[in-house]
Amino acid sequence: MHSTVVRAQNIFGLFTTVAFFVSAFIGLSVLFYRQAPSADVNLKNLQVVKGRPHYYSSKREEYAHIRFDLDAGEETSFYLKVFVYILAKWPSPGKPDSINEAVIWDQIIPADPSQNPNIAPERRRKSLASPPSKAERGLIRLHNAKSKYQITDRAGKIAERSNATLELGWNVQPWVGALAWTTHMQLGSWKALQGGRSKPFNFPELQVKKKSTGGRSN
Amino acid sequence: MARAILKSITINWGEMQILKLLVGLGVFTALFVLRSSIVGVPGNFSAKSPKQTSGRIKNSHQVHLPPTMFSSLSYLKPRQLAAQILNFGLILSTAFMLWKGLSIASDSPSPIVVVLSGSMEPAFQRGDLLFLWNRGLKTEVGEIVVYNVRGKDIPIVHRVVRRFSKEGEPLQLLTKGDNNLADDTELYAHGQDYLNREKDIIGSVVGYMPYVGYVTILLSEHPWLKTVMLGLMGLMVIMQRE
């Protein structure tokens, strides 16, 4: 029966088949793009202070305020959304098996390089005219940057914890297909991350504000 | 007595899914056997059909009716109509088995979810389809997980920003939406500070397909569309000759 229904069905069938193969091709094509990430993460300044999780909370916890440098040049031929983050990693005292991890800073790098917050505005404007270099697409440069999130462990204690590191990580958001995370191993034309980890450091002892010590001594 | 016995049998979630898959398979086989008893096995069906179609064409010539969509319905023999309804049942049971199979493979109660809010923009938008995987409970920071808030049945898709691991205990995780200013502590159940990897999380996002899920959002926002679509699907299957 060559009715309208059958024709509509055929057209819809063809459409879904073509859409499936095109999206499968797009999903697999990311593997052929070259990617050579490298990063330097350095700790600049570190303080541990007492604070509250939010304004109306009566809970008092220890928070680490971290300042850091990040120089990441991810040479890439990607035009994809990337979610970049730095996490602090430290073991619980006396228990090397229990690891605490917390994101201290993150940023979204949009697929459109002219929207990349790390490219200087004048260069950004230019990049609309001339395509940005591969190094520029995944460029992040931060100096003495402040952490976005105050971090602590499950018990609300973080002072004098030792053997902590800062690590760079990212999540590539595809147009369609599988999500990808930090490459620690080489995978086809995706090179492993060079660097991306700070030297081990220790959290300092709790910084006591003068006001609070005065209150306690009375 | 029977109730006591029933109560003593405890089935875990995975076994329940396999049971459901087997029920689906049973329904499929029953429908298939029924269908082949009506119209013969698929191989014979095509051999038989020319006779049937020629008969129908002859019929339509006699009454001088154009073979349009609706007139053709009345010319369907009850046997054929029953076969088409069984076809519809076969399609439904196949879809059910696919869903349950995927659920068992990924060990997740709902291996495919649709994004309903903009809290993960620009990564995920409303209507995007996400594929979940729930095997290997070693969720890392930066992964995007789907969790159910305890006591409420609202699945939420957010990114893991804190992870506390302890030997022999499930991971404790804190999540946050990329597009939200604050983390999810306020969203969790009262008194809960962190998610339990084993209890609360139904899967970690591994695959992504944009826009496709918007159909289900439309369907849930305009329920009459569901009836229309189901009716259309049924009609289509019944009309279909092959």
Side-chain angles (χ1 to χ4, degrees):
Chain A
M1 186 174 74
H2 293 283
S3 68
T4 333
V5 181
V6 173
R7 276 184 199 158
Q9 269 181 347
N10 287 343
I11 289 170
F12 186 70
L14 183 69
F15 169 74
T16 46
T17 316
V18 170
F20 176 78
F21 278 103
V22 168
S23 47
F25 175 75
I26 294 169
L28 290 174
S29 67
V30 288
L31 286 173
F32 301 106
Y33 284 125
R34 220 181 87 80
Q35 185 184 234
S38 64
D40 277 322
V41 189
N42 289 311
L43 183 78
K44 273 303 223 191
N45 189 17
L46 186 57
Q47 281 182 337
V48 177
V49 294
K50 277 244 176 194
R52 286 179 285 187
H54 53 92
Y55 189 79
Y56 297 104
S57 176
S58 56
K59 208 159 60 174
R60 301 274 290 167
E61 294 176 323
E62 295 170 358
Y63 293 117
H65 292 295
I66 302 172
R67 278 184 178 273
F68 62 95
D69 283 347
L70 173 63
D71 197 343
E74 185 182 353
E75 192 184 305
T76 175
S77 38
F78 272 155
Y79 278 106
L80 292 170
K81 280 172 262 184
V82 181
F83 183 85
V84 187
Y85 50 88
I86 290 180
L87 63 115
K89 215 174 194 175
W90 72 98
S92 296
K95 293 175 210 147
D97 287 335
S98 56
I99 309 285
N100 306 294
E101 288 163 75
V103 170
I104 60 162
W105 172 90
D106 58 28
Q107 191 173 65
I108 296 156
I109 300 177
D112 179 3
S114 67
Q115 304 291 317
N116 186 341
N118 305 296
I119 301 178
E122 56 274 18
R123 178 71 186 99
R124 242 187 281 168
R125 243 173 277 121
K126 245 190 267 168
S127 77
L128 286 172
S130 62
S133 69
K134 284 177 182 176
E136 266 178 328
R137 277 177 221 163
L139 181 86
I140 310 167
R141 250 182 253 294
L142 298 168
H143 291 290
N144 206 17
K146 226 169 118 181
S147 56
K148 270 167 86 171
Y149 310 107
Q150 43 184 14
I151 57 160
T152 186
D153 75 358
R154 268 170 78 185
K157 297 247 183 291
I158 200 167
E160 293 167 72
R161 300 287 189 259
S162 54
N163 207 13
T165 47
L166 295 181
E167 270 176 40
L168 178 78
W170 67 85
N171 171 213
V172 178
Q173 170 64 32
W175 296 115
V176 63
L179 276 72
W181 278 269
T182 325
T183 38
H184 290 300
M185 286 183 298
Q186 178 159 359
L187 190 90
S189 46
W190 291 19
K191 297 268 185 307
L193 169 66
Q194 298 288 313
R197 187 171 298 183
S198 76
K199 290 187 199 88
F201 61 89
N202 301 335
F203 286 101
E205 58 186 29
L206 188 66
Q207 204 174 56
V208 188
K209 285 178 197 153
K210 272 176 196 157
K211 217 168 131 192
S212 60
T213 43
R216 224 172 269 162
S217 61
N218 287 336
Chain B
M1 181 63 194
R3 190 169 285 178
I5 291 169
L6 270 179
K7 256 188 183 170
S8 66
I9 303 169
T10 48
I11 301 177
N12 69 21
W13 180 82
E15 286 164 355
M16 193 69 201
Q17 298 310 301
I18 293 171
L19 212 70
K20 280 181 182 170
L21 181 71
L22 288 178
V23 168
L25 192 68
V27 169
F28 182 86
T29 329
L31 289 176
F32 193 80
V33 167
L34 207 64
R35 184 183 170 280
S36 39
S37 75
I38 292 175
V39 290
V41 284
N44 288 354
F45 181 54
S46 57
K48 255 189 190 176
S49 55
K51 209 175 86 191
Q52 288 174 338
T53 34
S54 67
R56 192 179 59 254
I57 287 164
K58 212 177 108 198
N59 245 353
S60 65
H61 274 284
Q62 276 174 346
V63 283
H64 299 290
L65 263 180
T68 58
M69 253 174 76
F70 294 100
S71 66
S72 65
L73 191 62
S74 55
Y75 287 97
L76 274 177
K77 297 189 177 71
R79 190 173 269 255
Q80 256 180 317
L81 188 70
Q84 297 293 8
I85 290 167
L86 287 178
N87 272 348
F88 191 50
L90 282 179
I91 291 171
L92 282 186
S93 60
T94 311
F96 178 77
M97 281 195 293
L98 275 177
W99 177 254
K100 284 298 163 202
L102 205 60
S103 191
I104 292 166
S106 66
D107 197 26
S108 171
S110 61
I112 299 175
V113 293
V114 176
V115 180
L116 295 176
S117 82
S119 64
M120 279 300 283
E121 278 183 30
F124 304 141
Q125 257 131 28
R126 229 166 104 78
D128 292 346
L129 215 61
L130 305 178
F131 298 87
L132 307 185
W133 192 253
N134 201 25
R135 292 198 180 273
L137 305 173
K138 289 247 170 289
T139 312
E140 298 287 339
V141 170
E143 273 186 46
I144 304 163
V145 294
V146 179
Y147 66 90
N148 271 324
V149 179
R150 271 176 216 171
K152 284 178 231 166
D153 206 23
I154 320 160
I156 297 173
V157 193
H158 278 172
R159 194 184 296 274
V160 175
V161 292
R162 269 186 218 178
R163 172 189 195 263
F164 301 119
S165 67
K166 211 173 190 182
E167 194 67 18
E169 269 181 45
L171 294 173
Q172 302 284 312
L173 304 170
L174 179 72
T175 52
K176 175 182 172 291
D178 288 357
N179 202 20
N180 293 351
L181 282 174
D183 58 45
D184 292 351
T185 319
E186 297 289 302
L187 290 177
Y188 299 160
H190 190 73
Q192 187 184 6
D193 288 331
Y194 296 101
L195 294 176
N196 182 311
R197 177 64 185 86
E198 274 173 22
K199 277 188 204 153
D200 300 321
I201 286 169
I202 57 174
S204 182
V205 180
V206 289
Y208 164 84
M209 194 179 276
Y211 311 121
V212 182
Y214 218 90
V215 185
T216 62
I217 292 185
L218 280 180
L219 286 181
S220 62
E221 280 178 3
H222 309 282
W224 56 270
L225 269 174
K226 252 185 232 173
T227 336
V228 170
M229 217 177 88
L230 221 75
L232 266 178
M233 256 163 69
L235 252 173
M236 216 107 114
V237 171
I238 289 168
M239 300 294 215
Q240 232 178 354
R241 283 294 169 275
E242 192 53 37

